[in-house]
Amino acid sequence: VKPWTPARLVKTLLASAGVWAVLAGACLMVGSTGGFGWPNRAALGFRLDVVLLASLVGAGLSSAGVVFQAILRNPLAEPYLLGVSSGATLSAYLWHLPFMTGWLTLGALGSIGEPLFAFGGAVATILIVFFLASRRGRLEPVTLLLVGVIVNAITGSIFLLINSMPWIRDPATPGGSLRFLVGGLQTNLTWHQIWPAAVLIGVAWVALLWFSGQLNAALLSEAEAESLGVRIHRLRWIGLVLASLMTASAVAVSGPIGFIGLVCPHVGRLLVGNDQRRLLPLATALGAGLLAVADAISRALSRPGAAETILPVGVLTGLLGGPFFLMLLWRSRHRALEGG
Amino acid sequence: VAARLRGRPPVRTLIARTHTGVDVVGGGNFMDDLLRLAGGQNVIQSGDNSYPTIDREMLVSLNPDVILQIVPGAAPQEIEQAMAFWPTVGQVSAVRNGRVHVLTDSYLLLPGYSVGRIAELLADKLHPQNAEKDQR
């Protein structure tokens, strides 16, 4: 690992911002109406909103993916492993129910109620997972993964149970939080509803960048990390809490969009290696840019004669990211066979 | 309903089917048929029994004169969130002229024995002058 300097940091940040700017700029040329080209002022405003929202969500998921993969020392780890998405889905669904009508959903939270409920559900799930998985203040990656998978399954089952009870919600009622099951950018949201997520993702990202040098040590064994002076258990807590908060914020405004948090860190690794100080900014930029691209494809497909509807962007990331995930598995298996 | 509205020009209408405002009713389904019967013209022309999702850019380009947001059994917080969306597309004629109607009756999206009532309700919203005349 090369020594880190302010100049190197600035260079990395500028290169990453450049990658994002090129991808996001191209996405501004694609709309649901008309051809490929620069839009008029009104359409530009709408496209800018959605490109920035996609970038925010993609950046949050991808950087969370970097941290999860480093701390859990698992290349297949992704931000939803700890049940964040199912917790958010359940909580957002509860917000819709008539018996939830009251001062909290109407007066206090107003129009930001749904995303805030989703965020609250995600955070509550994370707290439960961390509480169950920690022993004497320490987080063991394998226990954490197992508890995350189980809590995810339980929360998902509770959601489906409530959803199938007609006396709780009229089965004729369409929509609701079912759209949280397949992630999609909620283009109806305004910045008034999004800025809390943007602030949280931004602050957590800066904190993660601060710790990114230590994240390199998380890839080593506990003994090796401790010998380098890194307090590995404290680092795990900090990293996982920050990454989970970022994931919760992203899910609150988009639902669970798959594969961005899994694929972008790997693409970044192919380009700059496994030094987390360079990987984190680049993977963030790739996540932001690629989700904006996936959303632009979805917009382009919504034109008459094509899909004629805006596909949930989670469908596209799944279709593109799924094969990539399988390729990673195949390559790692191939390498293991060659090594063995 | 059709006889009452004969001779009236069809009103360009968008039917939103969830509280988001961007999940809409397309062509070739019973709601589209009822809308036509009630003196409306669906601004979403596409599809055979389609229920597409659009975005704000498309919504503005479609520029409907009336928006019917149908959210059966919606809780007050859903209605509040639904209403918070429309000012973000203030360029749309329906929004500018205060012709966004949120309808919450439970039967509105069900193709059953209430289709007559649905057509009456849609006609009243699309052609309020006729509704007032009938009441007199």
Side-chain angles (χ1 to χ4, degrees), chain B residues 55-98:
Chain B
D55 63 2
R56 286 190 287 165
E57 183 179 338
M58 189 175 281
L59 181 54
V60 168
S61 78
L62 292 169
N63 196 26
D65 293 319
V66 172
I67 294 172
L68 302 172
Q69 188 164 23
I70 298 179
V71 278
Q77 61 269 25
E78 285 181 283
I79 296 170
E80 188 178 78
Q81 188 165 322
M83 294 310 290
F85 168 67
W86 297 112
T88 68
V89 282
Q91 307 93 317
V92 173
S93 165
V95 179
R96 219 173 36 238
N97 298 321

mmCIF file of all heavy atoms in Angstrom, chain B residues 55-98:
data_model
loop_
_atom_site.group_PDB
_atom_site.id
_atom_site.type_symbol
_atom_site.label_atom_id
_atom_site.label_comp_id
_atom_site.label_asym_id
_atom_site.label_seq_id
_atom_site.Cartn_x
_atom_site.Cartn_y
_atom_site.Cartn_z
ATOM 1 N N ASP B 55 -43.011 9.666 -15.854
ATOM 2 C CA ASP B 55 -42.261 10.570 -14.979
ATOM 3 C C ASP B 55 -42.779 12.004 -15.168
ATOM 4 O O ASP B 55 -43.688 12.240 -15.974
ATOM 5 C CB ASP B 55 -40.754 10.467 -15.225
ATOM 6 C CG ASP B 55 -40.349 10.885 -16.628
ATOM 7 O OD1 ASP B 55 -41.241 11.287 -17.412
ATOM 8 O OD2 ASP B 55 -39.158 10.822 -16.948
ATOM 9 N N ARG B 56 -42.196 12.934 -14.448
ATOM 10 C CA ARG B 56 -42.720 14.308 -14.470
ATOM 11 C C ARG B 56 -42.536 14.957 -15.838
ATOM 12 O O ARG B 56 -43.365 15.746 -16.264
ATOM 13 C CB ARG B 56 -42.041 15.139 -13.374
ATOM 14 C CG ARG B 56 -42.569 14.763 -12.000
ATOM 15 C CD ARG B 56 -42.090 15.727 -10.962
ATOM 16 N NE ARG B 56 -40.681 15.539 -10.675
ATOM 17 C CZ ARG B 56 -39.929 16.420 -10.029
ATOM 18 N NH1 ARG B 56 -40.432 17.560 -9.639
ATOM 19 N NH2 ARG B 56 -38.657 16.159 -9.782
ATOM 20 N N GLU B 57 -41.443 14.597 -16.518
ATOM 21 C CA GLU B 57 -41.201 15.165 -17.844
ATOM 22 C C GLU B 57 -42.329 14.781 -18.803
ATOM 23 O O GLU B 57 -42.862 15.619 -19.532
ATOM 24 C CB GLU B 57 -39.852 14.645 -18.370
ATOM 25 C CG GLU B 57 -39.477 15.220 -19.711
ATOM 26 C CD GLU B 57 -38.120 14.714 -20.197
ATOM 27 O OE1 GLU B 57 -37.306 14.276 -19.355
ATOM 28 O OE2 GLU B 57 -37.886 14.752 -21.414
ATOM 29 N N MET B 58 -42.713 13.511 -18.765
ATOM 30 C CA MET B 58 -43.778 13.053 -19.646
ATOM 31 C C MET B 58 -45.124 13.647 -19.225
ATOM 32 O O MET B 58 -45.935 14.034 -20.072
ATOM 33 C CB MET B 58 -43.845 11.527 -19.660
ATOM 34 C CG MET B 58 -44.777 10.985 -20.727
ATOM 35 S SD MET B 58 -44.764 9.207 -20.839
ATOM 36 C CE MET B 58 -43.278 8.930 -21.769
ATOM 37 N N LEU B 59 -45.303 13.740 -17.920
ATOM 38 C CA LEU B 59 -46.550 14.309 -17.405
ATOM 39 C C LEU B 59 -46.744 15.735 -17.927
ATOM 40 O O LEU B 59 -47.830 16.111 -18.379
ATOM 41 C CB LEU B 59 -46.494 14.293 -15.863
ATOM 42 C CG LEU B 59 -47.678 14.813 -15.073
ATOM 43 C CD1 LEU B 59 -48.963 14.120 -15.476
ATOM 44 C CD2 LEU B 59 -47.442 14.598 -13.589
ATOM 45 N N VAL B 60 -45.683 16.515 -17.893
ATOM 46 C CA VAL B 60 -45.770 17.896 -18.370
ATOM 47 C C VAL B 60 -46.007 17.927 -19.879
ATOM 48 O O VAL B 60 -46.798 18.729 -20.380
ATOM 49 C CB VAL B 60 -44.486 18.669 -17.986
ATOM 50 C CG1 VAL B 60 -44.422 20.004 -18.711
ATOM 51 C CG2 VAL B 60 -44.440 18.888 -16.484
ATOM 52 N N SER B 61 -45.359 17.019 -20.612
ATOM 53 C CA SER B 61 -45.541 17.036 -22.069
ATOM 54 C C SER B 61 -46.956 16.577 -22.443
ATOM 55 O O SER B 61 -47.499 17.019 -23.447
ATOM 56 C CB SER B 61 -44.485 16.177 -22.754
ATOM 57 O OG SER B 61 -44.819 14.824 -22.647
ATOM 58 N N LEU B 62 -47.557 15.702 -21.638
ATOM 59 C CA LEU B 62 -48.929 15.255 -21.924
ATOM 60 C C LEU B 62 -49.936 16.370 -21.631
ATOM 61 O O LEU B 62 -50.963 16.482 -22.281
ATOM 62 C CB LEU B 62 -49.276 14.017 -21.081
ATOM 63 C CG LEU B 62 -48.523 12.732 -21.440
ATOM 64 C CD1 LEU B 62 -48.748 11.666 -20.384
ATOM 65 C CD2 LEU B 62 -48.967 12.219 -22.808
ATOM 66 N N ASN B 63 -49.641 17.160 -20.605
ATOM 67 C CA ASN B 63 -50.412 18.346 -20.244
ATOM 68 C C ASN B 63 -51.935 18.117 -20.197
ATOM 69 O O ASN B 63 -52.679 18.765 -20.943
ATOM 70 C CB ASN B 63 -50.079 19.483 -21.218
ATOM 71 C CG ASN B 63 -50.535 20.820 -20.678
ATOM 72 O OD1 ASN B 63 -50.643 20.997 -19.454
ATOM 73 N ND2 ASN B 63 -50.842 21.751 -21.555
ATOM 74 N N PRO B 64 -52.407 17.222 -19.358
ATOM 75 C CA PRO B 64 -53.858 16.973 -19.284
ATOM 76 C C PRO B 64 -54.607 18.176 -18.715
ATOM 77 O O PRO B 64 -54.050 18.949 -17.938
ATOM 78 C CB PRO B 64 -53.953 15.771 -18.328
ATOM 79 C CG PRO B 64 -52.723 15.853 -17.495
ATOM 80 C CD PRO B 64 -51.656 16.425 -18.379
ATOM 81 N N ASP B 65 -55.882 18.295 -19.113
ATOM 82 C CA ASP B 65 -56.714 19.396 -18.590
ATOM 83 C C ASP B 65 -57.348 19.012 -17.253
ATOM 84 O O ASP B 65 -57.739 19.888 -16.482
ATOM 85 C CB ASP B 65 -57.799 19.752 -19.603
ATOM 86 C CG ASP B 65 -57.189 20.348 -20.866
ATOM 87 O OD1 ASP B 65 -56.253 21.158 -20.727
ATOM 88 O OD2 ASP B 65 -57.618 19.972 -21.974
ATOM 89 N N VAL B 66 -57.506 17.716 -17.027
ATOM 90 C CA VAL B 66 -58.045 17.239 -15.747
ATOM 91 C C VAL B 66 -57.203 16.052 -15.294
ATOM 92 O O VAL B 66 -56.784 15.230 -16.115
ATOM 93 C CB VAL B 66 -59.527 16.801 -15.882
ATOM 94 C CG1 VAL B 66 -60.025 16.137 -14.603
ATOM 95 C CG2 VAL B 66 -60.408 17.986 -16.217
ATOM 96 N N ILE B 67 -56.940 15.980 -14.008
ATOM 97 C CA ILE B 67 -56.261 14.805 -13.445
ATOM 98 C C ILE B 67 -57.187 14.201 -12.399
ATOM 99 O O ILE B 67 -57.658 14.900 -11.496
ATOM 100 C CB ILE B 67 -54.909 15.190 -12.807
ATOM 101 C CG1 ILE B 67 -53.937 15.665 -13.881
ATOM 102 C CG2 ILE B 67 -54.317 13.994 -12.057
ATOM 103 C CD1 ILE B 67 -52.649 16.258 -13.345
ATOM 104 N N LEU B 68 -57.480 12.913 -12.585
ATOM 105 C CA LEU B 68 -58.274 12.192 -11.589
ATOM 106 C C LEU B 68 -57.321 11.249 -10.860
ATOM 107 O O LEU B 68 -56.781 10.325 -11.473
ATOM 108 C CB LEU B 68 -59.396 11.399 -12.269
ATOM 109 C CG LEU B 68 -60.381 12.216 -13.113
ATOM 110 C CD1 LEU B 68 -61.319 11.295 -13.879
ATOM 111 C CD2 LEU B 68 -61.176 13.174 -12.236
ATOM 112 N N GLN B 69 -57.085 11.509 -9.613
ATOM 113 C CA GLN B 69 -56.181 10.639 -8.847
ATOM 114 C C GLN B 69 -57.054 9.695 -8.018
ATOM 115 O O GLN B 69 -57.721 10.115 -7.070
ATOM 116 C CB GLN B 69 -55.264 11.465 -7.951
ATOM 117 C CG GLN B 69 -54.186 10.607 -7.301
ATOM 118 C CD GLN B 69 -53.054 11.438 -6.746
ATOM 119 O OE1 GLN B 69 -53.222 12.620 -6.451
ATOM 120 N NE2 GLN B 69 -51.900 10.825 -6.582
ATOM 121 N N ILE B 70 -57.024 8.437 -8.411
ATOM 122 C CA ILE B 70 -57.917 7.455 -7.779
ATOM 123 C C ILE B 70 -57.112 6.618 -6.786
ATOM 124 O O ILE B 70 -56.232 5.843 -7.168
ATOM 125 C CB ILE B 70 -58.571 6.565 -8.857
ATOM 126 C CG1 ILE B 70 -59.416 7.457 -9.778
ATOM 127 C CG2 ILE B 70 -59.440 5.496 -8.216
ATOM 128 C CD1 ILE B 70 -60.108 6.733 -10.902
ATOM 129 N N VAL B 71 -57.412 6.799 -5.515
ATOM 130 C CA VAL B 71 -56.689 6.073 -4.460
ATOM 131 C C VAL B 71 -57.725 5.480 -3.501
ATOM 132 O O VAL B 71 -58.006 6.032 -2.441
ATOM 133 C CB VAL B 71 -55.700 6.995 -3.702
ATOM 134 C CG1 VAL B 71 -54.408 7.128 -4.453
ATOM 135 C CG2 VAL B 71 -56.275 8.389 -3.462
ATOM 136 N N PRO B 72 -58.302 4.328 -3.892
ATOM 137 C CA PRO B 72 -59.386 3.764 -3.086
ATOM 138 C C PRO B 72 -58.942 3.474 -1.654
ATOM 139 O O PRO B 72 -57.910 2.835 -1.437
ATOM 140 C CB PRO B 72 -59.726 2.456 -3.816
ATOM 141 C CG PRO B 72 -59.158 2.616 -5.171
ATOM 142 C CD PRO B 72 -57.965 3.490 -5.032
ATOM 143 N N GLY B 73 -59.720 3.937 -0.719
ATOM 144 C CA GLY B 73 -59.458 3.638 0.692
ATOM 145 C C GLY B 73 -58.166 4.232 1.221
ATOM 146 O O GLY B 73 -57.640 3.753 2.223
ATOM 147 N N ALA B 74 -57.651 5.267 0.571
ATOM 148 C CA ALA B 74 -56.365 5.834 1.011
ATOM 149 C C ALA B 74 -56.496 6.472 2.390
ATOM 150 O O ALA B 74 -57.504 7.105 2.696
ATOM 151 C CB ALA B 74 -55.885 6.868 0.011
ATOM 152 N N ALA B 75 -55.474 6.292 3.191
ATOM 153 C CA ALA B 75 -55.432 6.935 4.503
ATOM 154 C C ALA B 75 -55.140 8.429 4.304
ATOM 155 O O ALA B 75 -54.547 8.813 3.286
ATOM 156 C CB ALA B 75 -54.347 6.281 5.348
ATOM 157 N N PRO B 76 -55.539 9.267 5.268
ATOM 158 C CA PRO B 76 -55.309 10.712 5.113
ATOM 159 C C PRO B 76 -53.855 11.071 4.828
ATOM 160 O O PRO B 76 -53.577 12.002 4.068
ATOM 161 C CB PRO B 76 -55.765 11.281 6.461
ATOM 162 C CG PRO B 76 -56.775 10.307 6.950
ATOM 163 C CD PRO B 76 -56.312 8.963 6.489
ATOM 164 N N GLN B 77 -52.903 10.327 5.424
ATOM 165 C CA GLN B 77 -51.504 10.672 5.181
ATOM 166 C C GLN B 77 -51.110 10.413 3.719
ATOM 167 O O GLN B 77 -50.265 11.113 3.161
ATOM 168 C CB GLN B 77 -50.557 9.921 6.140
ATOM 169 C CG GLN B 77 -50.560 8.418 6.067
ATOM 170 C CD GLN B 77 -51.556 7.793 7.034
ATOM 171 O OE1 GLN B 77 -52.535 8.432 7.405
ATOM 172 N NE2 GLN B 77 -51.315 6.565 7.438
ATOM 173 N N GLU B 78 -51.746 9.386 3.097
ATOM 174 C CA GLU B 78 -51.461 9.121 1.683
ATOM 175 C C GLU B 78 -52.018 10.251 0.819
ATOM 176 O O GLU B 78 -51.381 10.680 -0.144
ATOM 177 C CB GLU B 78 -52.093 7.799 1.255
ATOM 178 C CG GLU B 78 -51.361 6.581 1.757
ATOM 179 C CD GLU B 78 -52.024 5.304 1.274
ATOM 180 O OE1 GLU B 78 -53.063 4.936 1.840
ATOM 181 O OE2 GLU B 78 -51.505 4.686 0.341
ATOM 182 N N ILE B 79 -53.209 10.716 1.195
ATOM 183 C CA ILE B 79 -53.825 11.806 0.423
ATOM 184 C C ILE B 79 -52.981 13.074 0.552
ATOM 185 O O ILE B 79 -52.737 13.782 -0.427
ATOM 186 C CB ILE B 79 -55.268 12.052 0.907
ATOM 187 C CG1 ILE B 79 -56.119 10.810 0.622
ATOM 188 C CG2 ILE B 79 -55.877 13.274 0.222
ATOM 189 C CD1 ILE B 79 -57.488 10.822 1.243
ATOM 190 N N GLU B 80 -52.491 13.312 1.760
ATOM 191 C CA GLU B 80 -51.651 14.493 1.969
ATOM 192 C C GLU B 80 -50.389 14.424 1.105
ATOM 193 O O GLU B 80 -49.991 15.398 0.469
ATOM 194 C CB GLU B 80 -51.260 14.587 3.447
ATOM 195 C CG GLU B 80 -50.562 15.888 3.787
ATOM 196 C CD GLU B 80 -50.212 15.988 5.269
ATOM 197 O OE1 GLU B 80 -49.217 15.367 5.694
ATOM 198 O OE2 GLU B 80 -50.930 16.679 5.991
ATOM 199 N N GLN B 81 -49.776 13.231 1.068
ATOM 200 C CA GLN B 81 -48.566 13.087 0.250
ATOM 201 C C GLN B 81 -48.898 13.213 -1.230
ATOM 202 O O GLN B 81 -48.129 13.788 -2.003
ATOM 203 C CB GLN B 81 -47.873 11.756 0.530
ATOM 204 C CG GLN B 81 -46.510 11.678 -0.162
ATOM 205 C CD GLN B 81 -45.645 10.548 0.363
ATOM 206 O OE1 GLN B 81 -45.639 10.263 1.549
ATOM 207 N NE2 GLN B 81 -44.932 9.889 -0.521
ATOM 208 N N ALA B 82 -50.065 12.659 -1.610
ATOM 209 C CA ALA B 82 -50.487 12.760 -3.010
ATOM 210 C C ALA B 82 -50.629 14.224 -3.409
ATOM 211 O O ALA B 82 -50.142 14.646 -4.467
ATOM 212 C CB ALA B 82 -51.815 12.022 -3.205
ATOM 213 N N MET B 83 -51.255 15.011 -2.568
ATOM 214 C CA MET B 83 -51.488 16.420 -2.899
ATOM 215 C C MET B 83 -50.187 17.225 -2.900
ATOM 216 O O MET B 83 -50.087 18.245 -3.588
ATOM 217 C CB MET B 83 -52.472 17.047 -1.909
ATOM 218 C CG MET B 83 -53.879 16.475 -1.981
ATOM 219 S SD MET B 83 -54.570 16.414 -3.657
ATOM 220 C CE MET B 83 -54.818 18.141 -4.007
ATOM 221 N N ALA B 84 -49.195 16.760 -2.139
ATOM 222 C CA ALA B 84 -47.911 17.481 -2.092
ATOM 223 C C ALA B 84 -47.154 17.358 -3.406
ATOM 224 O O ALA B 84 -46.266 18.167 -3.702
ATOM 225 C CB ALA B 84 -47.061 16.949 -0.947
ATOM 226 N N PHE B 85 -47.496 16.340 -4.209
ATOM 227 C CA PHE B 85 -46.766 16.115 -5.450
ATOM 228 C C PHE B 85 -47.139 17.127 -6.541
ATOM 229 O O PHE B 85 -46.271 17.603 -7.275
ATOM 230 C CB PHE B 85 -47.038 14.690 -5.948
ATOM 231 C CG PHE B 85 -46.581 14.438 -7.363
ATOM 232 C CD1 PHE B 85 -45.233 14.449 -7.680
ATOM 233 C CD2 PHE B 85 -47.494 14.209 -8.383
ATOM 234 C CE1 PHE B 85 -44.802 14.226 -8.981
ATOM 235 C CE2 PHE B 85 -47.084 13.990 -9.680
ATOM 236 C CZ PHE B 85 -45.731 14.000 -9.984
ATOM 237 N N TRP B 86 -48.408 17.458 -6.636
ATOM 238 C CA TRP B 86 -48.871 18.203 -7.817
ATOM 239 C C TRP B 86 -48.239 19.581 -7.981
ATOM 240 O O TRP B 86 -47.968 20.004 -9.117
ATOM 241 C CB TRP B 86 -50.403 18.260 -7.830
ATOM 242 C CG TRP B 86 -50.967 16.876 -7.948
ATOM 243 C CD1 TRP B 86 -51.668 16.194 -7.006
ATOM 244 C CD2 TRP B 86 -50.807 15.975 -9.052
ATOM 245 N NE1 TRP B 86 -51.963 14.927 -7.451
ATOM 246 C CE2 TRP B 86 -51.440 14.765 -8.702
ATOM 247 C CE3 TRP B 86 -50.185 16.053 -10.292
ATOM 248 C CZ2 TRP B 86 -51.474 13.664 -9.536
ATOM 249 C CZ3 TRP B 86 -50.215 14.959 -11.132
ATOM 250 C CH2 TRP B 86 -50.855 13.780 -10.754
ATOM 251 N N PRO B 87 -47.999 20.331 -6.906
ATOM 252 C CA PRO B 87 -47.351 21.639 -7.122
ATOM 253 C C PRO B 87 -45.984 21.540 -7.805
ATOM 254 O O PRO B 87 -45.499 22.529 -8.363
ATOM 255 C CB PRO B 87 -47.200 22.184 -5.698
ATOM 256 C CG PRO B 87 -48.293 21.518 -4.927
ATOM 257 C CD PRO B 87 -48.407 20.149 -5.512
ATOM 258 N N THR B 88 -45.355 20.344 -7.786
ATOM 259 C CA THR B 88 -44.049 20.215 -8.449
ATOM 260 C C THR B 88 -44.178 20.171 -9.968
ATOM 261 O O THR B 88 -43.182 20.227 -10.672
ATOM 262 C CB THR B 88 -43.292 18.950 -7.984
ATOM 263 O OG1 THR B 88 -43.980 17.791 -8.466
ATOM 264 C CG2 THR B 88 -43.178 18.892 -6.466
ATOM 265 N N VAL B 89 -45.417 19.995 -10.459
ATOM 266 C CA VAL B 89 -45.653 20.040 -11.912
ATOM 267 C C VAL B 89 -46.683 21.132 -12.199
ATOM 268 O O VAL B 89 -47.703 20.898 -12.855
ATOM 269 C CB VAL B 89 -46.106 18.667 -12.470
ATOM 270 C CG1 VAL B 89 -44.930 17.736 -12.628
ATOM 271 C CG2 VAL B 89 -47.159 18.020 -11.574
ATOM 272 N N GLY B 90 -46.386 22.317 -11.695
ATOM 273 C CA GLY B 90 -47.319 23.443 -11.817
ATOM 274 C C GLY B 90 -47.570 23.882 -13.249
ATOM 275 O O GLY B 90 -48.526 24.609 -13.519
ATOM 276 N N GLN B 91 -46.723 23.417 -14.201
ATOM 277 C CA GLN B 91 -46.909 23.805 -15.605
ATOM 278 C C GLN B 91 -48.118 23.112 -16.227
ATOM 279 O O GLN B 91 -48.641 23.549 -17.247
ATOM 280 C CB GLN B 91 -45.683 23.422 -16.449
ATOM 281 C CG GLN B 91 -44.349 23.914 -15.948
ATOM 282 C CD GLN B 91 -43.653 22.899 -15.052
ATOM 283 O OE1 GLN B 91 -44.275 22.273 -14.197
ATOM 284 N NE2 GLN B 91 -42.345 22.761 -15.215
ATOM 285 N N VAL B 92 -48.524 21.992 -15.616
ATOM 286 C CA VAL B 92 -49.609 21.197 -16.199
ATOM 287 C C VAL B 92 -50.931 21.959 -16.066
ATOM 288 O O VAL B 92 -51.245 22.509 -15.006
ATOM 289 C CB VAL B 92 -49.692 19.824 -15.485
ATOM 290 C CG1 VAL B 92 -50.910 19.037 -15.954
ATOM 291 C CG2 VAL B 92 -48.419 19.042 -15.717
ATOM 292 N N SER B 93 -51.689 21.963 -17.148
ATOM 293 C CA SER B 93 -52.941 22.734 -17.197
ATOM 294 C C SER B 93 -53.875 22.374 -16.032
ATOM 295 O O SER B 93 -54.441 23.257 -15.391
ATOM 296 C CB SER B 93 -53.606 22.454 -18.552
ATOM 297 O OG SER B 93 -54.918 22.870 -18.540
ATOM 298 N N ALA B 94 -54.042 21.080 -15.761
ATOM 299 C CA ALA B 94 -54.956 20.651 -14.695
ATOM 300 C C ALA B 94 -54.531 21.196 -13.334
ATOM 301 O O ALA B 94 -55.367 21.593 -12.524
ATOM 302 C CB ALA B 94 -55.001 19.121 -14.644
ATOM 303 N N VAL B 95 -53.239 21.239 -13.104
ATOM 304 C CA VAL B 95 -52.736 21.735 -11.814
ATOM 305 C C VAL B 95 -52.933 23.241 -11.744
ATOM 306 O O VAL B 95 -53.402 23.790 -10.746
ATOM 307 C CB VAL B 95 -51.243 21.368 -11.644
ATOM 308 C CG1 VAL B 95 -50.703 21.887 -10.321
ATOM 309 C CG2 VAL B 95 -51.054 19.861 -11.736
ATOM 310 N N ARG B 96 -52.601 23.919 -12.839
ATOM 311 C CA ARG B 96 -52.710 25.379 -12.889
ATOM 312 C C ARG B 96 -54.145 25.840 -12.666
ATOM 313 O O ARG B 96 -54.393 26.822 -12.001
ATOM 314 C CB ARG B 96 -52.217 25.845 -14.269
ATOM 315 C CG ARG B 96 -51.405 27.102 -14.234
ATOM 316 C CD ARG B 96 -50.788 27.443 -15.581
ATOM 317 N NE ARG B 96 -51.596 27.140 -16.736
ATOM 318 C CZ ARG B 96 -51.217 26.333 -17.722
ATOM 319 N NH1 ARG B 96 -50.047 25.753 -17.670
ATOM 320 N NH2 ARG B 96 -52.000 26.090 -18.756
ATOM 321 N N ASN B 97 -55.084 25.051 -13.215
ATOM 322 C CA ASN B 97 -56.492 25.464 -13.130
ATOM 323 C C ASN B 97 -57.238 24.804 -11.974
ATOM 324 O O ASN B 97 -58.475 24.845 -11.942
ATOM 325 C CB ASN B 97 -57.188 25.154 -14.460
ATOM 326 C CG ASN B 97 -56.555 25.927 -15.609
ATOM 327 O OD1 ASN B 97 -56.192 27.091 -15.441
ATOM 328 N ND2 ASN B 97 -56.389 25.277 -16.746
ATOM 329 N N GLY B 98 -56.507 24.173 -11.088
ATOM 330 C CA GLY B 98 -57.154 23.555 -9.920
ATOM 331 C C GLY B 98 -58.081 22.406 -10.270
ATOM 332 O O GLY B 98 -59.104 22.206 -9.613
#
